[in-house]
Amino acid sequence: MTKQFHLNAFLMGVGHHEAAWRHPRTDARRVLDVTHFQELGRIAERGKLDSVFFADGLAVGPRIKHNSQAIFEPVTLLSAIAVVTERVGLIATASTSYGDPYHLARKFASLDHISGGRAGWNIVTSAGADEAANFGLDGIPQHRGRYERAEEFVDVALALWDSWEDGAVVLDRESGVFADPVRVHPVDHVGERFRVRGPLNSPRSEQGRPLLVQAGSSESGKEFAARHAEAVFTAQRSLDQGQEFYRDLKARVVRHGRHPDELKVLPGIVPFIADTEEEAKALEQSFTDLISPEYSLRQLSTLLGVDLTEHALDAPLPPLPPLEQIEGHKSRYQLVRDLAESESLTVRELIARLGGGRGHRTFAGTPEQIADELQVWFEQGAADGFNIMPPYLPGGLEDFVDRVVPILQQRGLFRTDYAETTLRGHYGLAEPGNRFAADGGRHAGRDVSA
Amino acid sequence: MTKQFHLNAFLMGVGHHEAAWRHPRTDARRVLDVTHFQELGRIAERGKLDSVFFADGLAVGPRIKHNSQAIFEPVTLLSAIAVVTERVGLIATASTSYGDPYHLARKFASLDHISGGRAGWNIVTSAGADEAANFGLDGIPQHRGRYERAEEFVDVALALWDSWEDGAVVLDRESGVFADPVRVHPVDHVGERFRVRGPLNSPRSEQGRPLLVQAGSSESGKEFAARHAEAVFTAQRSLDQGQEFYRDLKARVVRHGRHPDELKVLPGIVPFIADTEEEAKALEQSFTDLISPEYSLRQLSTLLGVDLTEHALDAPLPPLPPLEQIEGHKSRYQLVRDLAESESLTVRELIARLGGGRGHRTFAGTPEQIADELQVWFEQGAADGFNIMPPYLPGGLEDFVDRVVPILQQRGLFRTDYAETTLRGHYGLAEPGNRFAADGGRHAGRDVSA
């Protein structure tokens, strides 16, 4: 069988384009409607996608005037989606910078049980000052400190998910043994930031533990991903940049003693799909025309660390602070600065380019052209799959599933049906071992059949 | 119309009786099956019950050998129930002693949106040493400190739920205004334990904010309830004790400047239901016969603060520590001690009495007898409604809904259909005001039509 790739649907309100909610192809009221998101989950499952995914943030700022920000908490929302789907994976973002590892491990374990082993955790370190202020901090916690905390946080969560061995729930009515205490372990974590005794108050899930996903592409982010992540979402503007990122990240994975297939690289793409290329470009333009400069300038100001809200739209960017001074999203800062500089964009042009996917690659074309593009990136070593970011929802996801996926399936690039039941299974990852099991959980093993 | 009472179904695994999972009337595997809990939600809704409720704990200890402890996180679980029900309220326990008010306010807001205004929060302060050890603490936090933290925690959550006024989500496509920033407010909380700027990243829900529920009956617990709670679950062994508790709590509510109807008192009852009283008592006995003394002694030891695991079953309790020394569940300690002393029970007898509902009132009888019992408590001033704790599930809930509820309806004591759509509506509570609204949110008002 040809090697096949993986597809994740990155869901956001009524679409990724910042003006999606103003466009006639959407119904903005559905950002508050759980059935909208359940429908999106079902559409993704109809397309046999590996997973759906929600980003998240822990604050709303002044941008709320012009755009929706997270309204539902992703794990509660995915729980509602889990019970109307059977196979599609369910990935939620949660931060390691605020909150407790026990609470987090527990809520993801709960989603993993509710979904029969389909939960994934997109690990973020929360770069925003607005978020810090909701958790008692002044200013953004430093980039380095955030990643140190993330390391320990993930260590604790992994230990907690190992704290029940497979088969620990015995349910022996006769002897009255509900669970075998020998197979339920304290974790006894004592670290710099956390002390957690364990065990978790949840048995091991059908897939062992949630899939670990990561999306930071800074130096610390890549090292973190190489150690822990099983899937990585990334914004790459061109094939050669995508290839470079892919090679670099896989080499890091190997340096950390892992098999390169244990981490899947999924660049983002915002597809505008139509019958002809011309129509697709016109569709994209119809969204660009609805962009609110006030909103975009605020967003860009936050990202770049300079106040652009009074800046002339038809001038180039002003001088920007050096990368070292950025304590927020370092890699996204770099990407946006490079984009503006390499193509000498005015602020207005830059805003239009970022409107679709905040720096992710936007592609307008026919279903065949989009399939070609994905195939090239996959076959030329820039991707193990893709993070599909529909500019408007549900229509943009329906078009991808109903018009692009069949082409990929005909070409043998994508599954025609699910072969596995768990998220980990879809991504070709073995059930993880268990540090507490006498056999290291080796009945499941670490060997990846990719 | 006759005054009617309220009914909450307190759901727990496959039943409240500690041996429920060993009894032929249950299927123990369903403690891990989300569809079991969805079915329970639907049964409660068939009976027009006000709400369903899950307790919670943040640890598993050695007791796991003999009984299930919380497996699903309640809010994720209720989210899965929300989407297969339309009316029944959904109350989850969450602790104020661990975690962040922003995270908590946000997840309950999410459940409130997912369910269309049916979420409730049972506020607990986590008395267990096992729980403390999962959040970096040595030993149980002191009773008093827990309640001080709970006060501030609830203040912050309430402020966050007020941070979006009704109607703040504008969705004006033409002007590009998603939300009106004038109606979205920071909360700027700066307190002893928390600093939270806000606003919450979630609009106001259909019922304003989640219903506040409380279940602690210690002095601090009652004062806390009188200030904040809108429903109180309580364990009362006899009618006169129930009346005394009811009078006391309502008087406290009035002292805090609230209308007595703004807080509903719901004593717990564990009903064993059968065609004859004799059969009901035999049914109860068949559960008692399955009790594991090892499990019960561990549980009792934790509750009473003395090691009983080697204590003779047919002897009375050993001397117990004074109430002042108890840092855990003070009111439950008192109830169990009084029960044992007033009836001169041996440890074996005490265990049998506690097996059904851990100190809540157990009642075995015909549907008519149970209806009579509830009517007496209601009409004689001991209850605004009841917390129904089926000893086994789903059968015990089905019997209550299909055999007891119709009798209550015939007597005019309970609704024959839902008149409202929100949890707050079911309990006859008005939508709460909003501290940030120019009119104090008074279009909704505080006037209770009970």
Side-chain angles (χ1 to χ4, degrees):
Chain A
M1 197 177 72
T2 329
K3 205 176 161 193
Q4 295 188 325
F5 60 64
H6 301 281
L7 290 172
N8 173 74
F10 181 176
L11 306 177
M12 183 175 279
V14 292
H16 278 275
H17 196 283
E18 63 172 67
W21 72 272
R22 300 182 64 191
H23 198 278
R25 291 209 181 189
T26 67
D27 177 356
R29 291 166 302 181
R30 302 205 75 192
V31 300
L32 271 160
D33 179 357
V34 65
T35 68
H36 167 65
F37 296 97
Q38 292 182 309
E39 183 186 338
L40 297 177
R42 283 203 207 91
I43 295 167
E45 187 158 282
R46 184 169 91 211
K48 317 299 177 194
L49 268 53
D50 294 68
S51 48
V52 298
F53 158 63
F54 290 102
D56 195 39
L58 296 170
V60 290
R63 289 188 288 125
I64 196 65
K65 181 174 175 189
H66 297 293
N67 211 332
S68 82
Q69 292 165 58
I71 287 174
F72 292 104
E73 186 278 324
V75 176
T76 26
L77 183 56
L78 285 169
S79 180
I81 297 175
V83 295
V84 297
T85 54
E86 289 176 4
R87 295 295 190 96
V88 72
L90 308 162
I91 302 172
T93 296
S95 173
T96 54
S97 291
Y98 311 111
D100 302 281
Y102 198 91
H103 274 319
L104 183 138
R106 205 265 182 116
K107 101 179 157 174
F108 276 90
S110 193
L111 179 63
D112 220 6
H113 282 291
I114 287 170
S115 63
R118 295 186 281 140
W121 172 26
N122 177 46
I123 305 163
V124 298
T125 63
S126 301
D130 278 357
E131 297 175 290
N134 289 332
F135 293 87
L137 297 185
D138 298 313
I140 312 172
Q142 285 197 334
H143 191 83
R144 192 174 145 188
R146 292 206 311 272
Y147 274 97
E148 284 170 4
R149 183 179 155 110
E151 282 291 338
E152 189 179 342
F153 197 113
V154 170
D155 282 349
V156 177
L158 288 170
L160 287 168
W161 288 322
D162 277 352
S163 63
W164 291 58
E165 296 181 41
D166 287 329
V169 178
V170 173
L171 299 179
D172 185 341
R173 286 183 160 195
E174 215 41 54
S175 66
V177 174
F178 182 88
D180 177 1
V182 174
R183 287 184 274 176
V184 182
H185 306 271
V187 305
D188 290 327
H189 176 89
V190 178
E192 187 93 353
R193 290 171 172 83
F194 304 111
R195 282 190 302 140
V196 180
R197 190 172 70 189
L200 190 62
N201 53 352
S202 175
R204 198 163 175 82
S205 88
E206 218 166 298
Q207 63 171 351
R209 58 169 170 76
L211 188 82
L212 299 189
V213 181
Q214 199 266 359
S217 300
S218 68
E219 183 59 29
S220 319
K222 282 188 282 197
E223 276 301 291
F224 185 88
R227 273 194 295 278
H228 301 293
E230 296 163 309
V232 163
F233 299 141
T234 180
Q236 300 296 328
R237 286 170 44 219
S238 65
L239 179 61
D240 59 330
Q241 288 176 342
Q243 289 166 327
E244 169 55 28
F245 179 83
Y246 187 95
R247 271 193 304 269
D248 176 46
L249 192 54
K250 294 281 180 162
R252 291 174 194 254
V253 168
V254 171
R255 280 205 294 282
H256 285 287
R258 301 170 66 197
H259 189 286
D261 287 341
E262 289 181 47
L263 180 151
K264 311 297 180 189
V265 178
L266 307 171
I269 183 166
V270 182
F272 286 92
I273 306 168
D275 292 338
T276 65
E277 188 179 330
E278 200 183 0
E279 282 171 29
K281 288 196 188 306
L283 180 63
E284 181 179 2
Q285 187 60 45
S286 73
F287 280 83
T288 304
D289 292 343
L290 292 172
I291 285 178
S292 152
E294 186 186 339
Y295 169 78
S296 307
L297 289 175
R298 271 191 206 276
Q299 201 178 31
L300 199 57
S301 301
T302 306
L303 185 67
L304 296 177
V306 283
D307 183 4
L308 295 169
T309 50
E310 304 294 321
H311 194 77
L313 283 167
D314 294 308
L317 284 175
L320 298 178
L323 181 64
E324 307 79 68
Q325 283 179 23
I326 299 295
E327 290 296 340
H329 292 291
K330 273 182 188 289
S331 57
R332 197 54 61 87
Y333 166 86
Q334 200 165 5
L335 182 148
V336 170
R337 191 187 62 182
D338 293 352
L339 171 65
E341 284 175 5
S342 66
E343 305 188 24
S344 306
L345 302 177
T346 65
V347 169
R348 190 189 301 276
E349 289 163 341
L350 181 62
I351 283 171
R353 293 287 289 277
L354 296 174
R358 305 171 304 285
H360 283 271
R361 182 165 175 72
T362 297
F363 190 95
T366 65
E368 287 74 17
Q369 286 174 318
I370 289 167
D372 292 347
E373 176 79 1
L374 301 185
Q375 184 165 1
V376 166
W377 279 57
F378 178 59
E379 292 181 346
Q380 299 197 8
D384 297 310
F386 300 91
N387 187 24
I388 307 302
M389 302 167 59
Y392 55 99
L393 288 165
L397 180 62
E398 283 183 307
D399 283 348
F400 186 84
V401 158
D402 296 334
R403 304 188 62 187
V404 181
V405 167
I407 299 171
L408 301 173
Q409 290 170 329
Q410 280 156 26
R411 296 183 189 176
L413 289 165
F414 192 64
R415 68 174 70 87
T416 52
D417 202 356
Y418 291 107
E420 306 283 341
T421 60
T422 66
L423 174 56
R424 202 166 276 287
H426 302 332
Y427 278 102
L429 299 163
E431 201 182 306
N434 187 333
R435 74 192 69 188
F436 295 117
D439 62 354
R442 286 286 170 237
H443 58 287
R446 255 290 180 188
D447 49 301
V448 175
S449 55
Chain B
M1 198 176 74
T2 328
K3 204 174 162 195
Q4 295 188 326
F5 61 65
H6 302 280
L7 290 172
N8 172 73
F10 181 176
L11 306 177
M12 183 175 279
V14 292
H16 277 276
H17 195 282
E18 64 172 68
W21 72 273
R22 300 181 65 190
H23 197 279
R25 292 209 180 190
T26 68
D27 177 356
R29 292 166 303 184
R30 303 205 75 191
V31 298
L32 271 160
D33 179 356
V34 65
T35 67
H36 167 64
F37 297 98
Q38 291 182 309
E39 183 186 338
L40 298 177
R42 282 202 210 91
I43 295 167
E45 187 158 281
R46 182 168 91 213
K48 317 300 178 194
L49 268 53
D50 295 67
S51 48
V52 297
F53 158 63
F54 290 102
D56 195 40
L58 296 169
V60 290
R63 288 188 288 124
I64 196 65
K65 180 173 177 188
H66 297 293
N67 212 331
S68 83
Q69 292 165 56
I71 286 175
F72 292 102
E73 185 279 324
V75 176
T76 28
L77 183 57
L78 286 170
S79 180
I81 297 174
V83 295
V84 297
T85 54
E86 290 175 6
R87 295 295 189 95
V88 71
L90 308 162
I91 301 172
T93 296
S95 173
T96 53
S97 291
Y98 310 111
D100 303 281
Y102 197 91
H103 274 319
L104 183 137
R106 204 264 182 119
K107 101 180 159 176
F108 276 90
S110 195
L111 178 64
D112 219 5
H113 282 292
I114 286 171
S115 63
R118 294 186 281 140
W121 172 25
N122 176 44
I123 305 163
V124 299
T125 63
S126 300
D130 280 355
E131 297 174 290
N134 289 332
F135 293 87
L137 297 185
D138 300 313
I140 312 172
Q142 286 196 337
H143 191 83
R144 191 175 146 188
R146 291 206 312 273
Y147 274 97
E148 284 169 3
R149 184 180 155 108
E151 282 289 340
E152 188 178 342
F153 197 113
V154 169
D155 281 348
V156 177
L158 288 171
L160 287 169
W161 287 322
D162 278 352
S163 63
W164 291 58
E165 296 181 37
D166 286 330
V169 179
V170 172
L171 300 179
D172 186 340
R173 286 182 161 195
E174 215 42 53
S175 65
V177 175
F178 182 88
D180 177 0
V182 174
R183 286 184 275 177
V184 182
H185 306 270
V187 305
D188 290 326
H189 176 90
V190 178
E192 186 94 353
R193 289 168 173 86
F194 304 111
R195 282 190 302 138
V196 180
R197 192 173 67 188
L200 190 61
N201 53 352
S202 176
R204 198 164 175 83
S205 87
E206 217 164 300
Q207 64 173 348
R209 58 168 171 77
L211 188 82
L212 299 189
V213 182
Q214 199 266 2
S217 300
S218 68
E219 182 61 28
S220 319
K222 282 188 281 198
E223 275 301 291
F224 185 88
R227 271 194 296 278
H228 301 293
E230 296 164 308
V232 162
F233 299 141
T234 180
Q236 299 297 330
R237 286 169 47 219
S238 65
L239 179 61
D240 57 333
Q241 287 175 343
Q243 289 166 326
E244 169 55 28
F245 179 84
Y246 187 95
R247 271 194 303 270
D248 177 45
L249 193 53
K250 295 278 181 167
R252 290 173 195 254
V253 168
V254 172
R255 279 205 294 279
H256 285 288
R258 302 171 64 199
H259 190 285
D261 286 340
E262 288 181 48
L263 181 151
K264 310 297 179 188
V265 177
L266 307 171
I269 182 165
V270 182
F272 286 91
I273 306 167
D275 291 338
T276 66
E277 186 177 333
E278 199 181 6
E279 281 170 29
K281 289 195 187 304
L283 179 64
E284 180 179 3
Q285 187 61 44
S286 72
F287 279 83
T288 303
D289 292 343
L290 293 172
I291 285 178
S292 152
E294 187 186 338
Y295 170 79
S296 307
L297 289 175
R298 272 191 206 278
Q299 200 179 33
L300 199 56
S301 301
T302 306
L303 183 68
L304 297 178
V306 285
D307 183 3
L308 295 169
T309 52
E310 304 293 321
H311 194 79
L313 284 167
D314 294 308
L317 282 175
L320 298 179
L323 181 63
E324 306 79 68
Q325 283 178 25
I326 298 294
E327 289 296 340
H329 292 289
K330 275 183 188 286
S331 56
R332 196 56 60 89
Y333 165 87
Q334 200 167 6
L335 182 149
V336 171
R337 191 187 62 183
D338 292 352
L339 171 65
E341 284 175 5
S342 65
E343 306 188 23
S344 306
L345 301 177
T346 65
V347 170
R348 189 189 302 278
E349 289 163 341
L350 180 60
I351 284 172
R353 293 286 289 276
L354 295 175
R358 304 171 304 286
H360 282 272
R361 181 164 176 73
T362 297
F363 190 95
T366 64
E368 287 73 18
Q369 286 175 316
I370 290 168
D372 291 346
E373 176 79 1
L374 301 185
Q375 182 165 3
V376 166
W377 280 56
F378 178 60
E379 291 181 346
Q380 300 196 9
D384 297 308
F386 301 92
N387 187 23
I388 306 301
M389 303 168 58
Y392 56 99
L393 288 166
L397 181 61
E398 284 182 306
D399 282 348
F400 185 83
V401 159
D402 296 334
R403 304 186 63 186
V404 181
V405 167
I407 299 171
L408 301 173
Q409 289 170 330
Q410 282 157 24
R411 296 182 189 176
L413 290 165
F414 192 63
R415 68 173 70 87
T416 52
D417 202 354
Y418 291 108
E420 304 284 339
T421 60
T422 66
L423 174 56
R424 202 165 276 287
H426 301 333
Y427 278 101
L429 299 162
E431 200 181 309
N434 187 332
R435 74 190 70 187
F436 295 116
D439 62 353
R442 286 285 171 238
H443 57 288
R446 256 288 180 192
D447 48 302
V448 175
S449 56

